[in-house]
Structure formats: structure tokens, C-alpha cells
Amino acid sequence: MMEKWTIFKKASRFGVIPVMLIPVVLGTVGAYVWQGVFHPFLFVITFVGAAAAHLFSNMVNDLWDFRNGTDTEAQHTPGAISTNSGFLSGGVMRESLFALLTWGLLAVAAGCGLLLSLYSGWEILWFVAGGALIAYFYVAPPLRFGYRGKGYSELAIFLAFGLMPVLGAYFVQTGAFSLKPALLSLPSGLLTTLLLFNHHFLHWRADKQAGKRTLVVVWGERRALIFSQVLLYISYASLIACVLLHILPVYALLALLTAIAPIRIYRSLQPENPSEAYLPLMGASQRASVRCGVIMAAALLIQGLFY
């Protein structure tokens, strides 16, 4: 059983799941602090559904990148660092079994969404449908908007890992929508978008060979690296804006400290770098996204409990 669980974690890239679950926590804490409501059962179902949706997204992207030849190209491009699980491109798992696990995760996410709709309102199904479509058509034909290089994929990531989980979790608890959780989603959503943007640096030459037109491919490494830094500063500017608008308490500004590590790494990079030079940036980007979200949630919860 433990071996199967280990295989599943590797195939689904389970380790990155906090970037989805933290926004769910943020939306739930926001509902508690601003509206005084918290339904533990609904939170657990939301948590499980969001986790399944994220893992489905990871696996369906692997599935279609393999079918499109992108993962295979990455293996044969000198210096490229593949970011997929390697289960399909490496022949570790049969495609049919991988696909069965992938669609099973979607079924779990959809089931959770249907259950939540019975308690909180049918509107939650828009989030379920929207998330499923974004996850599937990110690399699947005919849309494949992750291949088009016009910012569609970055917008999709922000919606799927920022606005939708925060606003959706808030709606599940309150049965209503509000501007506050939408604004609350900006810092963590933008930082996760940055994380996904930065991972393209690891294999952008292979993407170019395979016809995957990410913004890094379209703009080139130098311009894309400038945009990456700008996006980092915009992310933390949105955190300051949340404090100024009294969406977050002032001590949430402690989350600004999470920007230090990425900034240091940016300063060490050249306009052009080998792929492995971006591995520290990837790690720092992920830690910044997770830690910033945790500090935001903790600050908001402390405000609700003690003030």
C-alpha cells in the first residue's frame, strides 16, 4: 500500500499541492473573519475537491504533453530540465493506467463539487466546470492555450490557483460572493502564476522545438526574465494594497519577507543562463508562494480571533 501511495504521489506531483490548498484556506478564513461563519464539513469537502482538481490538472497536463511530444522533446534537448513526472515519457507507467488515475481524480473533484452545490448553491458548479475546462484545455486540443504564448496560460493559472479557489471557498461557507475575497486572492494567485511562469525557463528551448509557444519562447529569455521580476514586485504590491484597503491586518506585511530569497536569486542571474541556473529560482518561487499565503491566512485568523 505504501509503495502504491509513493507511486501516486510521484505521478501526480503531490508535493506542489499547497499552492492550491492555501487559497482554499484563505477563502475559508476570510468567511470566518468577515462573516462569522465556518462549516467544518463543507471546508473538508472543499479541501478534498480542490486537492483532487489540482492533481487532475498535473496529471492531465503530463498526459497531453506526452501525447503532444513535448516531454519527449525535453528529454532529447541538451540542457533542458523536464518538469513532468516522467512516468509516461520514461515508460514507468502505461498510458491507459495513467489516464484512468487522471480521470478518477476528476471524478472525485466533480463529486465534491456536486455535494457542495447541494449545501451552498448551484453557483459553485461554475467553479467546478471552469476549473475542469482550464485544467484540460491547458495543453489538450483543440484549444491548447498553454501553447499559444499570448498570456492565456498565465491568466488561466491565476484564475485556477488564485481567484477561483479563494472566492469559491468563501462562497461555500457564506453562500455569497464579495469583492474582499477576490482582492485577497491577488498576492497568492500572482505568486503562483509567477511560479508556473518561471518553470518554463527550465525547458523553453525544448518547448520551442516542440512548437509549445510559451511567453518565454515568444519573448526570449532576456525579456521573459525581466517580466518575471516585474511580476514578483506586482505580487507583493498587491499584498500592500490588501493591507491599505483593510482586507488584511498590518502585520500581514510580514509576508514581504518572503520576497527576499527570490530577489537575491534574480540578482545572481544573467540575461542568458543555462537551464539548471533556474532551479534555485523555482524553489524560491514555490516557497515564496506558500509562505506568503500561510502568513496571510495566519494574520487574518489572528485578527478574527483576537480583535
Side-chain angles (χ1 to χ4, degrees), residues 64-278:
W64 277 106
D65 271 341
F66 173 72
R67 291 172 176 174
N68 293 331
T70 309
D71 291 345
T72 305
E73 189 66 43
Q75 287 186 325
H76 295 95
T77 301
I81 299 174
S82 179
T83 54
N84 65 80
S85 66
F87 273 60
L88 292 173
S89 57
V92 177
M93 185 181 290
R94 298 192 316 274
E95 183 180 338
S96 58
L97 177 57
F98 196 92
L100 180 63
L101 289 172
T102 300
W103 294 110
L105 286 166
L106 178 61
V108 172
C112 290
L114 287 171
L115 185 58
L116 291 172
S117 72
L118 298 177
Y119 287 92
S120 301
W122 64 268
E123 293 91 341
I124 199 65
L125 295 178
W126 286 110
F127 291 84
V128 177
L133 291 173
I134 288 173
Y136 184 74
F137 286 113
Y138 189 83
V139 294
L143 298 182
R144 299 204 307 172
F145 53 81
Y147 281 49
R148 297 181 181 273
K150 295 184 178 180
Y152 299 140
S153 59
E154 285 70 29
L155 175 60
I157 293 300
F158 171 73
L159 292 175
F161 291 91
L163 181 63
M164 291 172 63
V166 176
L167 193 57
Y170 180 87
F171 177 82
V172 164
Q173 295 292 323
T174 65
F177 297 109
S178 172
L179 180 60
K180 275 189 172 182
L183 295 174
L184 182 65
S185 73
L186 290 175
S188 60
L190 290 171
L191 283 173
T192 301
T193 303
L194 175 66
L195 168 62
L196 270 294
F197 181 85
N198 284 344
H199 101 281
H200 293 305
F201 286 110
L202 298 176
H203 44 67
W204 71 272
R205 294 175 181 86
D207 288 343
K208 187 175 182 179
Q209 292 293 325
K212 187 173 182 179
R213 291 174 56 79
T214 66
L215 284 180
V216 180
V217 171
V218 173
W219 287 343
E221 184 179 0
R222 186 188 302 261
R223 291 176 61 193
L225 189 55
I226 293 172
F227 174 78
S228 176
Q229 296 176 69
V230 170
L231 185 54
L232 177 78
Y233 291 118
I234 291 174
S235 300
Y236 285 99
S238 70
L239 171 67
I240 296 172
C242 283
V243 172
L244 294 176
L245 293 171
H246 304 292
I247 295 167
L248 287 168
V250 67
Y251 36 91
L253 292 176
L254 286 171
L256 292 174
L257 296 174
T258 63
I260 294 174
I263 290 173
R264 285 177 175 170
I265 294 172
Y266 280 123
R267 289 176 177 173
S268 71
L269 293 171
Q270 303 301 315
E272 296 181 0
N273 306 273
S275 297
E276 58 269 18
Y278 289 103

